[in-house]
Amino acid sequence: MSNSTKYVFVTGGVTSSLGKGIISASLAKLLQARGYSTTIQKLDPYINIDPGTLNPYEHGECFVTDDGAETDLDLGHYERFLNVPTSQANNETTGRIYQSVIEKERRGEFLGKTVQVIPHITDEIKERIQILGKKGTFDIVITEIGGTVGDIESLPYVEAVRQMMWEFENDCIVVHLTLVPYLAAAGELKTKPTQHSVKQLLELGVQPDILCCRTEHELDLTLRKKIAKFCNVSMNAVIESRDAESIYDVPLLMQAEELDKVVLEKLGLHSRSTPDLTVWKSFLKRLKEPKQELTIGLIGKYVELKDSYKSISESFIHAGVANECRVSVKWIHSETLTRENIHAELEGLDGILVAPGFGARGISGKIEAVRYARENNVPFFGICLGMQCAVIEFARHVLGYDDAHTTEIAEDSKYPVISMMEEQKSISNLGGTMRLGAYKCQLKPASKVSKAYKTESITERHRHRYEFNNAYLEKFEKAGMIATGKNPETGLVEVVEIPSHPWFVGAQFHPEYKSTVDNPHPLFVAFVKAAIEHKNN
Ligand code: GLN
């Protein structure tokens, strides 16, 4: 094997939403399964520093890494496919790149030179592409360029790719993802958009090595030949990427098209033995042959855009497979739930999950959903704001604290059972007060959570400002809601449970960020198992 890190750039043409993230993750999976340590990076051309302050309706879920980076949801796919944690370096944005260049300018690092897109911004981009390579842990770094080729915002990124292709000639390739649409009226697949999009790349000085063609129908030999000829790529580098039933099918579809083989060939790497995908294949088999079906209600306020809860819905797929069942998620808008309609709306669900979130909208519906689950012994899982709602609900209806609330929503509540810790209050920058990333948590022996994890010491990722107010802990525990997980350093409550309930767990952290195909998350697995038991009783 060559000593230098290899770089694979993935660009997209014709239209957005072609699934660059899934193609990148699938290619990485195949290379990893051949024994190459591989990571994936996403470069987002928007000017926000990170998606942390973005409304989920804009870009879907904000994914959080161990080191506390708020990142694009594609990083979730990378982790779920590869089972290797990502970090801040795996996600860069134009905002971060400009911020860093401007800070360098203020420090005088450019020695009085005029600071320009080329070379200063492009140098910064190239440096950030190589950070992961320089770590020395990865043989191959796949860098996904967000947006569509031709967008004004992505020009500096394509230019950085062009320069790297020139500087590291033997260590870089470009995989271009494009669309081959089917025109029903003509009854034909059309290659013109692909030709145009490759032309656009060529105008920017980049010749793609491999074309991944998204299509709804088979790309026959004639079409492949035509694309190869017009786009200057070899025949075996025209890869068909058909719509798949599940994103988890894509690695196998790409393997059938020999994408990994062609990539290795072009990078000058040996194609070591065939990829070992035993675990993956057995996951897929169980995914497609579930023994039963469950319905779990997901109560949230962004349910119109399911990408807002991407990691949660994927966690249910993993946990379903682990339990040999299919979990169908019923998306329920918290704003529509009231005391009056709650029975009608939630009846028949096998489990209830109250989702994370920020702000007051829909909070009363979430609290009603918790109450329904608690009073009717329906398995309940509250995540972050969902856990906080469980605490508020318990305070109001079990402890009798009428106006109990979180200070996020009711600053003058008489019973601030969820509140901001003193140290956090002084930090005012948006984003600055957030507890982000991995923290340790110690679990109580014999609790439902320690049984699920099969250990008492865990690490989970956080993204929130408010915390359980420990001034009330004794009252809660006496009344039957127990803190079964605590931060060993700060004593902050990380998990609450009601032991007298069949399965009632609230977690201040976000378990969904750590569920992968190889390691379905233990809390989701236990929750789904409890839902099966509830259903079968
Ligand atoms: N809004 C709550 C807080 O900041 C919960 C955040 C979340 O659910 N991610 O503490």
Side-chain angles (χ1 to χ4, degrees):
M1 199 189 67
S2 125
N3 299 325
S4 44
T5 307
K6 303 285 186 180
Y7 295 92
V8 178
F9 300 106
V10 179
T11 56
V14 185
T15 158
S16 58
S17 305
L18 288 183
K20 282 196 297 274
I22 299 299
I23 292 288
S24 304
S26 301
L27 171 60
K29 184 78 218 168
L30 294 174
L31 297 171
Q32 183 194 55
R34 283 182 186 268
Y36 288 103
S37 82
T38 308
T39 189
I40 318 171
Q41 177 187 44
K42 170 99 188 262
L43 304 181
D44 277 311
Y46 53 68
I47 295 168
N48 305 66
I49 297 292
D50 61 43
T53 52
L54 283 173
N55 185 320
Y57 289 128
E58 293 284 315
H59 276 278
E61 165 188 284
C62 169
F63 187 78
V64 178
T65 56
D66 279 335
D67 63 344
E70 296 180 282
T71 71
D72 188 78
L73 61 75
D74 272 344
L75 272 77
H77 290 308
Y78 307 161
E79 291 200 10
R80 289 187 282 273
F81 275 54
L82 295 181
N83 199 33
V84 175
T86 55
S87 68
Q88 177 66 73
N90 293 77
N91 193 196
E92 299 289 352
T93 68
T94 295
R96 278 168 58 80
I97 285 160
Y98 271 79
Q99 189 182 46
S100 155
V101 170
I102 291 169
E103 280 167 4
K104 284 181 187 165
E105 185 271 337
R106 291 289 82 187
R107 289 195 299 267
E109 286 182 30
F110 298 115
L111 307 173
K113 289 267 185 230
T114 309
V115 180
Q116 295 179 297
V117 174
I118 306 173
H120 301 100
I121 294 298
T122 45
D123 279 352
E124 187 74 28
I125 295 172
K126 286 193 295 181
E127 198 180 308
R128 282 157 191 262
I129 290 172
Q130 290 170 80
I131 286 178
L132 289 163
K134 284 186 180 143
K135 269 186 166 177
T137 30
F138 300 109
D139 304 320
I140 302 169
V141 177
I142 299 179
T143 296
E144 179 191 341
I145 315 283
T148 308
V149 167
D151 293 350
I152 288 178
E153 290 105 331
S154 53
L155 284 176
Y157 294 96
V158 179
E159 170 58 17
V161 169
R162 186 194 67 79
Q163 293 179 21
M164 280 189 69
M165 296 288 284
W166 182 249
E167 288 164 39
F168 306 95
E169 205 192 341
N170 301 318
D171 295 329
C172 296
I173 60 165
V174 172
V175 177
H176 187 57
L177 184 59
T178 123
L179 179 71
V180 180
Y182 179 75
L183 284 199
E188 273 181 4
L189 286 171
K190 290 296 185 187
T191 65
K192 196 72 86 189
T194 296
Q195 296 177 38
H196 279 296
S197 128
V198 170
K199 276 222 176 80
Q200 219 160 7
L201 260 181
L202 281 170
E203 277 170 25
L204 301 172
V206 174
Q207 165 66 55
D209 298 280
I210 297 173
L211 294 175
C212 259
C213 305
R214 285 303 307 274
T215 164
E216 289 169 16
H217 300 274
E218 191 199 332
L219 268 192
D220 64 21
L221 210 60
T222 326
L223 279 171
R224 287 179 197 244
K225 269 191 191 150
K226 190 170 172 187
I227 293 173
K229 184 184 264 166
F230 276 105
C231 302
N232 329 315
V233 297
S234 46
M235 267 280 283
N236 68 347
V238 179
I239 305 289
E240 170 190 294
S241 165
R242 286 275 276 280
D243 293 354
E245 201 185 302
S246 148
I247 56 170
Y248 299 107
D249 285 319
V250 180
L252 297 183
L253 295 176
M254 290 302 103
Q255 188 187 20
E257 286 285 305
E258 302 193 327
L259 172 63
D260 53 332
K261 244 175 130 172
V262 182
V263 164
L264 290 176
E265 209 176 278
K266 304 227 176 244
L267 286 173
L269 295 173
H270 303 295
S271 54
R272 302 173 185 165
S273 59
T274 44
D276 179 9
L277 290 166
T278 328
V279 178
W280 196 270
K281 284 183 183 157
S282 97
F283 170 86
L284 269 182
K285 187 166 157 27
R286 282 177 293 146
L287 175 68
K288 303 215 162 154
E289 294 163 6
K291 299 222 169 96
Q292 57 180 322
E293 186 143 350
L294 286 184
T295 309
I296 287 184
L298 186 150
I299 324 291
K301 66 171 171 177
Y302 303 111
V303 290
E304 305 91 329
L305 183 69
K306 305 204 169 28
D307 270 0
S308 309
Y309 303 106
K310 194 75 202 165
S311 292
I312 294 180
S313 52
E314 296 303 313
S315 298
F316 275 126
I317 295 177
H318 309 154
V321 167
N323 281 288
E324 301 193 299
C325 72
R326 172 174 297 138
V327 178
S328 83
V329 174
K330 186 174 175 197
W331 305 85
I332 301 169
H333 204 304
S334 49
E335 271 183 305
T336 63
L337 297 177
T338 62
R339 185 93 200 106
E340 289 67 45
N341 70 11
I342 198 81
H343 268 268
E345 294 293 321
L346 303 189
E347 209 172 349
L349 291 174
D350 305 313
I352 291 172
L353 182 141
V354 175
F358 292 83
R361 187 165 69 93
I363 192 94
S364 64
K366 286 187 170 178
I367 294 171
E368 286 302 339
V370 177
R371 183 174 192 175
Y372 176 88
R374 184 179 56 78
E375 291 181 345
N376 295 284
N377 287 324
V378 182
F380 168 82
F381 195 9
I383 299 182
C384 210
L385 182 63
M387 171 269 200
Q388 298 174 352
C389 287
V391 169
I392 296 165
E393 191 281 324
F394 194 87
R396 289 185 187 175
H397 306 123
V398 178
L399 293 170
Y401 298 164
D402 266 357
D403 88 330
H405 222 315
T406 160
T407 55
E408 176 179 7
I409 292 160
E411 240 181 295
D412 51 0
S413 160
K414 253 200 300 186
Y415 300 99
V417 289
I418 303 290
S419 69
M420 199 183 272
M421 298 294 96
E422 283 308 317
E423 327 68 273
Q424 291 167 286
K425 285 183 186 160
S426 53
I427 318 167
S428 61
N429 245 353
L430 255 194
T433 53
M434 200 87 88
R435 179 144 79 103
L436 283 168
Y439 285 86
K440 281 198 188 124
C441 172
Q442 193 62 33
L443 304 177
K444 271 219 165 98
S447 57
K448 288 202 175 74
V449 279
S450 68
K451 278 186 202 147
Y453 281 99
K454 299 190 179 75
T455 170
E456 280 156 25
S457 170
I458 58 161
T459 306
E460 288 284 1
R461 299 181 194 170
H462 291 246
R463 181 175 185 247
H464 57 102
R465 287 193 183 82
Y466 298 86
E467 308 278 355
F468 184 97
N469 184 341
N470 269 327
Y472 294 95
L473 182 57
E474 217 184 299
K475 295 258 172 28
F476 273 84
E477 295 208 319
K478 273 206 181 112
M481 180 178 268
I482 311 292
T484 54
K486 279 190 187 170
N487 182 307
E489 279 125 42
T490 58
L492 289 172
V493 172
E494 313 284 40
V495 186
V496 294
E497 277 184 40
I498 299 178
S500 61
H501 185 283
W503 209 89
F504 189 105
V505 172
Q508 185 59 82
F509 48 74
H510 290 261
E512 71 274 22
Y513 293 143
K514 283 181 59 168
S515 187
T516 70
V517 166
D518 289 3
N519 271 321
H521 195 283
L523 287 186
F524 277 90
V525 174
F527 176 48
V528 168
K529 185 161 175 265
I532 295 175
E533 277 157 18
H534 178 76
K535 181 179 184 163
N536 296 343
N537 276 336

